[in-house]
């Protein structure tokens, strides 16, 4: 069933609603050293409320900026929603950003608090801290290797979230102005230095409701958070859609472990940039080249037939004969292949951020991965167009999404 929400004016408000309606349902999972840990919606909301209390204790209030410099993990989204809930604004920094770029983003955004993942990111901030008069506090998620007591204005994320009541957070969330800025998302700066798009609570709600309606996302859907969360595309799926639709968001170990994360999660909704889809296709081709002669011949025969049927699958125009052939190919090759790729359960797959090669899209449809293309910008909260179901066309990015204009930001920093 598609998730529908009425009467909620912000993502923190929706989080609190889910904590009341589905307190024991799983909201997030995180894999650390090979072990998955789960959080329910009630635990998620309580964690965010404690983080909000910690930020208030550091002097963070409406209009202040909180920066997050970390790989994808639960603390990232907890900090994001906590800051939003008290009227502050969250700004993400790419984990790979060098110290000079960190300095520019923190200075330009006038961030008063930086939430850094570990010693590596902490060292970058320390190296440029003298250039950042607005930065008052650094919060370390993983303090291993850092003597926190030796640095003024530094505390751990565990200390930040040590106490706090959900009722206090609920009062702050109820007082939010939907038109006020919720997050800053910095663009790539192709016409100069990066610029921060100021996206309001109303923008986030519009993006969530519009995109989820287009995807048909449901409460039992699962996603894998792996693209950088400081990019609007992953923010849309992990935070905006994750909370608005009540999806289960999985944080794997990332990096080299990404293929294994994908196989373990088997997401039902998956967003990939073209490079991700290209690597999936290349991996299959490499494995098939090393397979036995019989397996290679069966795979190539099925793929040829699958490619011929793909255009009709894209337009929901398969014949009875097509469906019989597809069923046989599923048993012979494609079902096991998708499971190895981590795509055995995928119901909705989207490619965005750059054009995808037609031959890659055709390959994915041939093996049963229904990828649709979308287009968006940071300034419109990553939603603009999406390929409609039953009208997938090679080289096209679909049609305008309903109400996508309502997701435009109120203003932007220059």
């Amino acid at each position: 069933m598609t998730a529908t929400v009425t009467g909620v004016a912000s993502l923190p408000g929706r989080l609190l609603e889910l904590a009341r309606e589905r307190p024991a349902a799983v909201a997030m999972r995180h894999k650390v050293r090979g072990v998955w840990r789960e959080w329910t919606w009630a635990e998620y909301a309580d964690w965010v409320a404690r983080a909000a209390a910690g930020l208030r204790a550091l002097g963070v209030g409406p209009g202040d900026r909180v920066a997050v410099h970390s790989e994808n993990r639960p603390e990232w989204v907890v900090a994001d929603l906590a800051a939003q809930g008290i009227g502050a604004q969250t700004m993400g920094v790419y984990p790979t950003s060098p110290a000079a770029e960190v300095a520019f983003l923190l200075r330009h955004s006038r961030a008063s608090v930086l939430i850094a993942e570990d010693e590596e990111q902490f060292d970058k901030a320390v190296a440029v801290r003298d250039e950042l008069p607005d930065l008052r506090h650094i919060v370390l998620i993983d303090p291993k290797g850092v003597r926190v007591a030796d640095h003024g204005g530094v505390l751990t994320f565990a200390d930040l979230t040590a106490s706090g009541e959900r009722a206090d957070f609920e009062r702050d969330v109820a007082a939010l102005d939907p038109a006020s800025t919720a997050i800053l998302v910095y663009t790539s700066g192709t016409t100069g230095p990066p610029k921060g798009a100021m996206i309001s609570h109303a923008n986030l709600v519009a993006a969530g409701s519009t995109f989820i309606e287009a995807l048909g996302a449901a409460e039992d859907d699962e996603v894998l958070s792996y693209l950088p969360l400081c990019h609007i595309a992953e923010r849309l799926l992990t935070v905006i859609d994750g909370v608005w639709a009540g999806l289960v968001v999985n944080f794997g170990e990332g990096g080299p472990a990404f293929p294994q994360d994908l196989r373990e999660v088997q997401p039902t909704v998956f967003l990939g940039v073209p490079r991700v889809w290209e690597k999936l296709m290349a991996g299959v081709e490499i494995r098939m080249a090393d397979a036995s002669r019989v397996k290679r011949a069966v795979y190539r025969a099925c793929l040829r037939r699958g490619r011929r049927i793909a255009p009709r699958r894209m337009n929901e125009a398969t014949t009875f004969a097509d469906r019989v052939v597809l069923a046989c190919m599923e048993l012979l090759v494609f079902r096991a292949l998708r499971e190895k790729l981590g795509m055995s359960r995928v119901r909705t797959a989207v490619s965005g951020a750059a054009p995808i090669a037609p031959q890659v899209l055709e390959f994915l449809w041939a093996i049963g991965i229904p990828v649709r293309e979308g287009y968006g910008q940071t300034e419109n909260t990553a939603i603009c167009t999406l390929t409609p179901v039953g009208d997938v066309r090679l080289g096209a990015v679909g049609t305008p999404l309903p109400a996508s204009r309502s997701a435009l930001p109120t203003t932007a920093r220059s």
Side-chain angles (χ1 to χ4, degrees):
M1 180 178 67
T2 302
T4 57
V5 186
T6 59
V8 179
S10 67
L11 294 184
R14 175 58 177 157
L15 173 66
L16 292 169
E17 185 176 68
L18 286 165
R20 291 191 297 268
E21 294 177 351
R22 306 171 58 209
V26 175
M28 294 189 296
R29 297 191 188 96
H30 187 204
K31 185 182 179 184
V32 180
R33 298 183 182 90
V35 178
W36 290 93
R37 180 184 173 184
E38 295 182 343
W39 286 266
T40 66
W41 286 106
E43 291 169 334
Y44 189 178
D46 288 341
W47 197 5
V48 170
R50 294 196 305 273
L55 291 174
R56 281 195 302 267
L58 296 181
V60 177
D64 290 332
R65 278 72 185 264
V66 175
V68 184
H69 193 184
S70 170
E71 299 282 356
N72 296 22
R73 56 189 298 158
E75 291 87 350
W76 211 116
V77 298
V78 167
D80 188 7
L81 293 169
Q84 289 184 42
I86 60 175
Q89 303 159 20
T90 320
M91 184 273 291
V93 182
Y94 281 94
T96 55
S97 294
E101 188 172 323
V102 173
F104 172 81
L105 293 173
L106 296 181
R107 184 171 57 249
H108 189 268
S109 65
R110 300 193 300 273
S112 59
V113 175
L114 168 65
I115 297 176
E117 181 173 25
D118 53 20
E119 184 181 13
E120 178 186 359
Q121 312 303 4
F122 176 76
D123 287 344
K124 294 176 187 177
V126 170
V128 298
R129 195 169 186 180
D130 291 343
E131 305 172 31
L132 306 169
D134 295 303
L135 184 63
R136 301 193 302 269
H137 301 280
I138 299 176
V139 180
L140 264 170
I141 296 173
D142 180 2
K144 183 179 179 180
V146 179
R147 289 177 58 86
V148 174
D150 293 344
H151 302 273
V154 178
L155 68 158
T156 67
F157 199 82
D159 292 335
L160 182 78
T161 59
S163 62
E165 298 294 330
R166 197 192 298 180
D168 296 332
F169 185 62
E170 289 174 348
R171 284 192 292 270
D172 287 334
V173 171
L176 290 175
D177 176 5
S180 64
T181 301
I183 62 174
L184 287 177
V185 181
Y186 276 79
T187 65
S188 57
T190 52
T191 58
K195 300 173 178 64
M198 302 170 70
I199 301 176
S200 72
H201 293 283
N203 296 150
L204 299 181
V205 169
S209 58
T210 299
F211 203 60
I212 287 164
E213 182 179 351
L215 293 178
E219 293 175 348
D220 57 352
D221 274 320
E222 297 204 26
V223 299
L224 175 64
S225 180
Y226 73 101
L227 295 171
L229 271 167
C230 46
H231 192 283
I232 191 61
E234 189 62 65
R235 197 77 156 272
L236 175 65
L237 193 63
T238 293
V239 185
I240 302 173
D241 295 349
V243 171
W244 201 252
L247 309 177
V248 179
V249 177
N250 296 274
F251 298 91
E253 293 181 302
F258 169 68
Q260 181 62 31
D261 294 338
L262 199 54
R263 284 191 292 271
E264 291 185 20
V265 173
Q266 298 287 344
T268 59
V269 177
F270 185 77
L271 169 66
V273 296
R275 181 61 182 150
V276 170
W277 297 116
E278 290 164 6
K279 289 181 73 173
L280 286 181
M281 175 179 166
V284 172
E285 294 296 331
I286 290 170
R287 284 194 294 271
M288 286 299 114
D290 293 334
S292 68
R293 183 177 299 178
V294 173
K295 287 183 178 179
R296 191 162 57 246
V298 172
Y299 163 74
R300 288 176 177 171
C302 289
L303 184 61
R304 282 195 300 272
R305 195 64 181 265
R307 285 185 184 276
R308 286 198 291 269
I309 299 175
R312 295 192 290 277
R313 297 183 84 172
M314 293 177 184
N315 292 282
E316 295 188 329
T318 54
T319 65
F320 176 75
D322 289 336
R323 291 190 287 275
V324 171
V325 172
L326 287 170
C328 293
M329 294 192 299
E330 283 285 296
L331 292 173
L332 287 171
V333 176
F334 293 150
R335 183 181 300 170
L337 176 59
R338 290 198 306 274
E339 186 171 356
K340 288 185 179 296
L341 292 175
M343 295 284 153
S344 66
R345 298 196 302 160
V346 70
R347 177 181 51 77
T348 298
V350 179
S351 180
I356 186 171
Q359 63 268 28
V360 176
L361 193 62
E362 187 181 60
F363 166 83
L364 295 166
W365 275 88
I367 67 172
I369 303 176
V371 178
R372 298 153 64 192
E373 286 194 82
Y375 166 78
Q377 297 173 307
T378 299
E379 293 81 0
N380 64 4
T381 328
I383 62 166
C384 186
T385 69
L386 185 68
T387 304
V389 174
D391 190 18
V392 177
R393 305 181 188 184
L394 298 178
V397 291
T399 57
L401 291 169
S404 61
R405 291 180 62 186
S406 65
L408 291 172
T410 53
T411 185
R413 290 179 57 84
S414 60

